[in-house]
Amino acid sequence: MDTRSYMPVPPGVGTEENVFSLDDILLSQERLPCRTESVFPGLGFVDKSSDSRHIPEGTKMEIPLWLAKGLYERKRRVISVELPRVYREGWRTVFGADANVVDLHTMGPYYYGLGSQMLHFDSPENSEIAQCVLQTFIGRFRRTMDSSQNAYNEDTSVLVEKLDCLERALFRAGQSGLNAFQLWEKGLASHLTASSLVTNYRKRKLADLQA
Amino acid sequence: RTMADALSDAGDLSGGEGSQDDVMTPAELIARLEEAWLNEKFSPELLESKSELVECVMEQLTHMEENLQRVRKGDLKASVHHMEIGRIRYVLSSYLRSRLQKIEKFFPHVLEKEKSRADGDPSFLSPEEFAFAKEYLANTEVYLKAVALRHMPPNLQSIDMLKAIPEPCLDSFVFLRVKERQEKILVEPETDEQREYVVDLEEGSQHLMRYRTIAPLVANGAVQLI
């Protein structure tokens, strides 16, 4: 029940990305460890440690997701993408044991998003990765939902610090629902307030004027 | 719905000129509006446009307001009727707002669907919504070009909206109540790992299922999303 007049473009679901979503754009900046499967002629200058003109086959590099998706082809002639640490066997066991203790913010703030995008790269462990991401979400969701619905008018930074971006968005949604309900209970629901767009725009203009 | 029944001094409503709708009482009209509202709210995709329903409800609201003008002020019945008008108006606005949100979210797909439907099929967009969707597409393209695309190398200056924006996720799960008994609904098809999973839907029963499975049943009114 969204009553804002302005809806930011939401990120894509699962393996899809929404070109216009800011969340997805930021997600696609995440770096992945990769290995070149063929020579990249003329691009030697990218690798500062070597002085060759080309990037030889077998070089290990970290490239952002958008570039990896663009270069990857099923026949694997160009690059092969390795799994980041969080999606490998070792960490998967940790998530399986207890998903709630892990600090998903430091483990890459886009754990679920990047995990879903990793499935594009045809790793033999794809089904385990997918299962792990899903089970982690299921394991952690209840705590996020519970805390977002019961933390009213207090400092939530402790509750939020270990959540990844998807969970934070859910937390915010829960909080806005809770606040809206409290306003309604106090009879202030019909109280007209300036839209957040307007107040932010005014603040920005002021900053521009002062600069 | 005794309130709406009490307004039967407005007489029975027909569905507007040239329409084939049955004559409905105001109570039935409001019930149909609420059903359309709930279906639209809980469905992941844009449903058929119910323009005649919207028009009828608007007529009904105008009629109710006119009736209220004639009533003595301070009468308790008047304030109750007033609240009823407010509630109906809210449901109608919420219904239209749901549709607009989905149009904004899926605009290239909505336009594509409307373009490729057969002439006899019901429309997904009212004329106003269609104009809105086309303007939204045009504005987005113009803005994107002015702000970003014209600075790109010439061979990268176009963007395919149908690919850039994800389609509605028809595999979302929805709650539903069965209005007309259905037999042998295929829930999961047969695969190497599982036998096919088929259910009968009893009238009055409630289920949680993938939207894709029951989409046609929502369109023909056999189930109600809740």
Side-chain angles (χ1 to χ4, degrees), chain B residues 178 181-182 185 199-203 205 207 209 214 217:
Chain B
V178 180
R181 184 168 196 278
Q182 303 291 316
I185 301 298
V199 293
D200 292 336
L201 298 178
E202 298 297 327
E203 188 177 320
S205 62
H207 301 266
M209 294 173 126
I214 45 93
L217 300 177

Side-chain angles (χ1 to χ4, degrees), chain A residues 2 7 10 16 18-20, chain B residues 101 105 144 159 161 164-166:
Chain A
D2 223 327
M7 233 90 44
E16 285 191 315
N18 191 331
V19 162
F20 294 125
Chain B
Q101 272 179 26
K105 198 168 172 188
L144 189 62
I159 191 167
M161 289 294 182
I165 296 181

Side-chain angles (χ1 to χ4, degrees), chain B residues 100-203:
Chain B
L100 281 180
Q101 272 179 26
K102 282 191 229 176
I103 291 172
E104 281 189 14
K105 198 168 172 188
F106 304 120
F107 61 98
H109 305 288
V110 159
L111 285 170
E112 188 65 26
K113 207 166 155 190
E114 189 66 12
K115 216 168 37 163
S116 54
R117 76 176 167 91
D119 270 331
D121 287 343
S123 178
F124 287 96
L125 296 170
S126 72
E128 294 86 3
E129 287 170 345
F130 184 66
F132 173 71
K134 280 188 28 190
E135 256 189 71
Y136 195 85
L137 173 69
N139 288 343
T140 309
E141 286 179 334
V142 163
Y143 178 62
L144 189 62
K145 184 156 181 94
V147 163
L149 291 180
R150 67 188 171 102
H151 302 291
M152 306 279 172
N155 61 333
L156 290 174
Q157 279 195 9
S158 67
I159 191 167
D160 181 359
M161 289 294 182
L162 283 171
K163 289 217 200 100
I165 296 181
E167 284 182 336
C169 178
L170 299 180
D171 289 316
S172 318
F173 276 77
V174 289
F175 286 96
L176 58 105
R177 182 173 45 239
V178 180
K179 283 162 64 181
E180 289 165 20
R181 184 168 196 278
Q182 303 291 316
E183 303 208 342
K184 301 225 180 337
I185 301 298
L186 183 65
V187 174
E188 297 285 349
E190 184 170 340
T191 65
D192 293 332
E193 289 143 3
Q194 62 188 35
R195 288 183 16 231
E196 68 168 17
Y197 179 20
V198 165
V199 293
D200 292 336
L201 298 178
E202 298 297 327
E203 188 177 320

